[in-house]
Amino acid sequence: MLVYLVSEFRYQNRIMGRLRAAAGRPFRVGRGGLPRRDRRAGATLQGIGLWSHIALALLGNAAFALTCCAGVMYLIQERQLKSRHPGRLTFRLPPLDLLDDVAVKSVLFGFPLLTLALISGSVWAEHVRGTFFTLRPREIWSILSWLTYAGLLYARVSAGWRGRKAAVLAILGFCFVLFAFLGVTVFRGWALL
Protein backbone atom coordinates (compact mmCIF):
# COMPACT_ATOMS: atom_id res chain seq x y z
CA MET A 1 0.00 0.00 0.00
CA LEU A 2 2.87 2.34 0.82
CA VAL A 3 4.45 1.83 -2.60
CA TYR A 4 1.12 2.59 -4.27
CA LEU A 5 0.60 5.76 -2.20
CA VAL A 6 4.03 7.04 -3.14
CA SER A 7 3.35 6.38 -6.82
CA GLU A 8 -0.08 8.02 -6.62
CA PHE A 9 1.43 11.09 -4.99
CA ARG A 10 4.20 11.21 -7.58
CA TYR A 11 2.09 10.65 -10.71
CA GLN A 12 -1.31 12.01 -9.58
CA ASN A 13 -3.17 9.04 -11.05
CA ARG A 14 -5.64 6.98 -9.05
CA ILE A 15 -6.47 4.28 -11.60
CA MET A 16 -3.43 2.29 -10.42
CA GLY A 17 -5.09 1.79 -7.05
CA ARG A 18 -7.77 -0.38 -8.60
CA LEU A 19 -5.27 -2.65 -10.28
CA ARG A 20 -3.05 -2.68 -7.19
CA ALA A 21 -6.03 -3.88 -5.19
CA ALA A 22 -6.65 -6.58 -7.78
CA ALA A 23 -2.99 -7.61 -7.67
CA GLY A 24 -3.15 -7.89 -3.88
CA ARG A 25 -6.23 -10.12 -3.98
CA PRO A 26 -4.26 -13.37 -4.53
CA PHE A 27 -2.33 -12.63 -1.32
CA ARG A 28 -5.54 -12.22 0.67
CA VAL A 29 -7.31 -15.19 -0.91
CA GLY A 30 -4.24 -17.42 -0.88
CA ARG A 31 -3.47 -17.00 2.78
CA GLY A 32 -6.61 -18.98 3.69
CA GLY A 33 -5.12 -22.06 2.03
CA LEU A 34 -1.78 -21.76 3.76
CA PRO A 35 -0.87 -24.15 6.55
CA ARG A 36 -0.96 -22.63 10.00
CA ARG A 37 2.31 -21.99 11.80
CA ASP A 38 3.01 -23.00 15.35
CA ARG A 39 2.78 -19.98 17.64
CA ARG A 40 5.68 -21.26 19.75
CA ALA A 41 8.41 -20.35 17.27
CA GLY A 42 11.94 -21.24 18.20
CA ALA A 43 14.77 -18.84 18.85
CA THR A 44 15.83 -19.04 15.19
CA LEU A 45 12.63 -17.29 14.14
CA GLN A 46 13.02 -14.47 16.64
CA GLY A 47 16.14 -12.81 15.24
CA ILE A 48 16.37 -9.51 13.42
CA GLY A 49 17.92 -11.27 10.40
CA LEU A 50 14.68 -13.00 9.52
CA TRP A 51 12.56 -9.90 10.06
CA SER A 52 14.85 -7.71 7.96
CA HIS A 53 14.71 -10.35 5.21
CA ILE A 54 10.90 -10.35 5.36
CA ALA A 55 10.63 -6.54 5.34
CA LEU A 56 12.99 -6.22 2.36
CA ALA A 57 11.18 -8.97 0.46
CA LEU A 58 7.75 -7.45 1.10
CA LEU A 59 8.82 -3.97 0.00
CA GLY A 60 10.53 -5.35 -3.10
CA ASN A 61 7.54 -7.50 -3.98
CA ALA A 62 5.21 -4.53 -3.50
CA ALA A 63 7.27 -2.57 -6.00
CA PHE A 64 7.05 -5.50 -8.41
CA ALA A 65 3.28 -5.60 -7.93
CA LEU A 66 3.20 -1.98 -9.04
CA THR A 67 5.41 -2.88 -12.00
CA CYS A 68 3.02 -5.68 -12.92
CA CYS A 69 0.01 -3.37 -12.67
CA ALA A 70 1.72 -0.82 -14.89
CA GLY A 71 2.56 -3.59 -17.36
CA VAL A 72 -1.03 -4.85 -17.47
CA MET A 73 -2.34 -1.33 -17.95
CA TYR A 74 0.28 -0.73 -20.65
CA LEU A 75 -0.86 -3.79 -22.59
CA ILE A 76 -4.54 -2.84 -22.22
CA GLN A 77 -3.93 0.78 -23.22
CA GLU A 78 -1.75 -0.21 -26.17
CA ARG A 79 -4.41 -2.62 -27.43
CA GLN A 80 -7.12 0.01 -27.01
CA LEU A 81 -5.10 2.61 -28.89
CA LYS A 82 -4.30 0.24 -31.76
CA SER A 83 -7.91 -0.84 -32.20
CA ARG A 84 -10.21 1.10 -34.44
CA HIS A 85 -12.86 1.20 -31.72
CA PRO A 86 -11.32 2.43 -28.48
CA GLY A 87 -13.20 1.49 -25.33
CA ARG A 88 -14.00 3.40 -22.19
CA LEU A 89 -10.65 2.48 -20.67
CA THR A 90 -8.73 4.39 -23.33
CA PHE A 91 -9.58 7.71 -21.73
CA ARG A 92 -9.28 6.49 -18.14
CA LEU A 93 -5.87 4.81 -18.29
CA PRO A 94 -2.67 6.85 -18.07
CA PRO A 95 -0.61 7.51 -21.21
CA LEU A 96 1.77 4.80 -22.37
CA ASP A 97 4.91 6.79 -21.57
CA LEU A 98 3.70 7.36 -17.99
CA LEU A 99 2.99 3.65 -17.54
CA ASP A 100 6.43 2.77 -18.88
CA ASP A 101 8.02 5.32 -16.55
CA VAL A 102 6.16 3.90 -13.52
CA ALA A 103 7.22 0.38 -14.50
CA VAL A 104 10.91 1.18 -14.85
CA LYS A 105 11.08 3.25 -11.66
CA SER A 106 9.31 0.62 -9.60
CA VAL A 107 11.69 -2.07 -10.92
CA LEU A 108 14.63 0.19 -10.10
CA PHE A 109 13.20 0.52 -6.57
CA GLY A 110 12.27 -3.15 -6.09
CA PHE A 111 15.29 -4.88 -7.61
CA PRO A 112 17.85 -3.71 -5.01
CA LEU A 113 15.38 -4.59 -2.25
CA LEU A 114 14.89 -8.09 -3.65
CA THR A 115 18.66 -8.44 -3.98
CA LEU A 116 19.14 -7.45 -0.33
CA ALA A 117 16.30 -9.79 0.67
CA LEU A 118 18.00 -12.70 -1.07
CA ILE A 119 21.34 -11.87 0.54
CA SER A 120 19.85 -11.45 4.02
CA GLY A 121 17.83 -14.64 3.59
CA SER A 122 20.97 -16.53 2.59
CA VAL A 123 22.88 -15.18 5.59
CA TRP A 124 19.99 -16.09 7.89
CA ALA A 125 19.75 -19.59 6.35
CA GLU A 126 23.47 -20.11 6.84
CA HIS A 127 23.13 -19.08 10.47
CA VAL A 128 20.16 -21.38 11.07
CA ARG A 129 20.84 -24.34 8.76
CA GLY A 130 24.56 -24.10 8.22
CA THR A 131 24.30 -23.58 4.45
CA PHE A 132 23.54 -20.57 2.27
CA PHE A 133 21.47 -22.35 -0.37
CA THR A 134 19.62 -25.64 -0.06
CA LEU A 135 17.70 -25.88 -3.37
CA ARG A 136 14.34 -25.51 -1.66
CA PRO A 137 11.47 -24.59 -4.01
CA ARG A 138 10.90 -21.14 -2.53
CA GLU A 139 14.59 -20.29 -2.90
CA ILE A 140 14.62 -21.50 -6.50
CA TRP A 141 11.52 -19.50 -7.48
CA SER A 142 12.86 -16.42 -5.70
CA ILE A 143 16.08 -16.65 -7.66
CA LEU A 144 14.09 -17.15 -10.89
CA SER A 145 12.14 -13.98 -10.16
CA TRP A 146 15.39 -12.13 -9.39
CA LEU A 147 16.88 -13.36 -12.67
CA THR A 148 13.78 -12.25 -14.57
CA TYR A 149 13.96 -8.73 -13.18
CA ALA A 150 17.73 -8.63 -13.71
CA GLY A 151 17.10 -9.63 -17.32
CA LEU A 152 14.43 -6.94 -17.62
CA LEU A 153 16.80 -4.25 -16.35
CA TYR A 154 19.59 -5.50 -18.59
CA ALA A 155 17.29 -5.56 -21.63
CA ARG A 156 16.08 -2.04 -20.91
CA VAL A 157 19.62 -0.70 -20.60
CA SER A 158 21.44 -2.66 -23.30
CA ALA A 159 18.78 -3.44 -25.90
CA GLY A 160 16.52 -0.47 -25.23
CA TRP A 161 13.46 -2.59 -24.45
CA ARG A 162 10.47 -0.42 -23.83
CA GLY A 163 6.78 -0.92 -23.96
CA ARG A 164 5.25 -4.26 -24.82
CA LYS A 165 8.30 -6.50 -24.34
CA ALA A 166 9.18 -4.92 -21.01
CA ALA A 167 5.56 -5.13 -19.84
CA VAL A 168 5.32 -8.84 -20.67
CA LEU A 169 8.60 -9.58 -18.89
CA ALA A 170 7.47 -7.57 -15.83
CA ILE A 171 4.23 -9.55 -15.66
CA LEU A 172 6.14 -12.82 -15.99
CA GLY A 173 8.50 -11.77 -13.20
CA PHE A 174 5.59 -11.00 -10.90
CA CYS A 175 4.07 -14.41 -11.67
CA PHE A 176 7.34 -15.92 -10.40
CA VAL A 177 7.16 -13.69 -7.32
CA LEU A 178 3.59 -14.82 -6.62
CA PHE A 179 4.52 -18.45 -7.04
CA ALA A 180 7.54 -18.10 -4.74
CA PHE A 181 5.43 -16.29 -2.15
CA LEU A 182 2.22 -18.33 -2.28
CA GLY A 183 2.36 -21.15 -4.77
CA VAL A 184 5.19 -23.12 -3.20
CA THR A 185 3.47 -23.17 0.19
CA VAL A 186 0.05 -24.01 -1.23
CA PHE A 187 1.42 -26.87 -3.35
CA ARG A 188 3.41 -28.15 -0.40
CA GLY A 189 0.26 -28.07 1.75
CA TRP A 190 -1.69 -29.94 -0.92
CA ALA A 191 1.06 -32.55 -1.23
CA LEU A 192 0.83 -33.26 2.52
CA LEU A 193 -2.90 -33.98 2.27
Side-chain angles (χ1 to χ4, degrees), residues 65-168:
L66 185 63
T67 303
C68 179
C69 290
V72 168
M73 286 192 291
Y74 188 95
L75 294 177
I76 291 170
Q77 181 74 315
E78 182 187 49
R79 182 181 176 113
Q80 290 286 317
L81 291 173
K82 285 184 177 180
S83 74
R84 298 283 182 207
H85 307 288
R88 293 185 320 199
L89 282 179
T90 303
F91 303 106
R92 299 186 99 185
L93 290 175
L96 293 177
D97 58 342
L98 176 72
L99 291 171
D100 194 52
D101 187 49
V102 168
V104 72
K105 286 183 179 169
S106 58
V107 168
L108 287 173
F109 178 75
F111 186 73
L113 292 174
L114 183 62
T115 303
L116 291 173
L118 288 174
I119 291 169
S120 65
S122 297
V123 169
W124 178 77
E126 197 277 328
H127 174 70
V128 172
R129 290 181 249 160
T131 181
F132 285 106
F133 188 69
T134 58
L135 288 176
R136 292 183 179 195
R138 177 165 285 142
E139 294 169 351
I140 293 169
W141 284 98
S142 297
I143 289 173
L144 280 175
S145 62
W146 184 87
L147 288 172
T148 303
Y149 286 112
L152 174 63
L153 286 174
Y154 179 76
R156 286 188 80 97
V157 170
S158 68
W161 276 22
R162 300 275 183 262
R164 185 177 212 23
K165 292 178 185 177
V168 169

Side-chain angles (χ1 to χ4, degrees), residues 4-16:
Y4 160 70
L5 289 174
V6 168
S7 70
E8 182 182 318
F9 179 74
R10 167 76 170 92
Y11 293 104
Q12 301 296 315
N13 194 315
R14 294 181 183 212
I15 191 77
M16 290 214 189

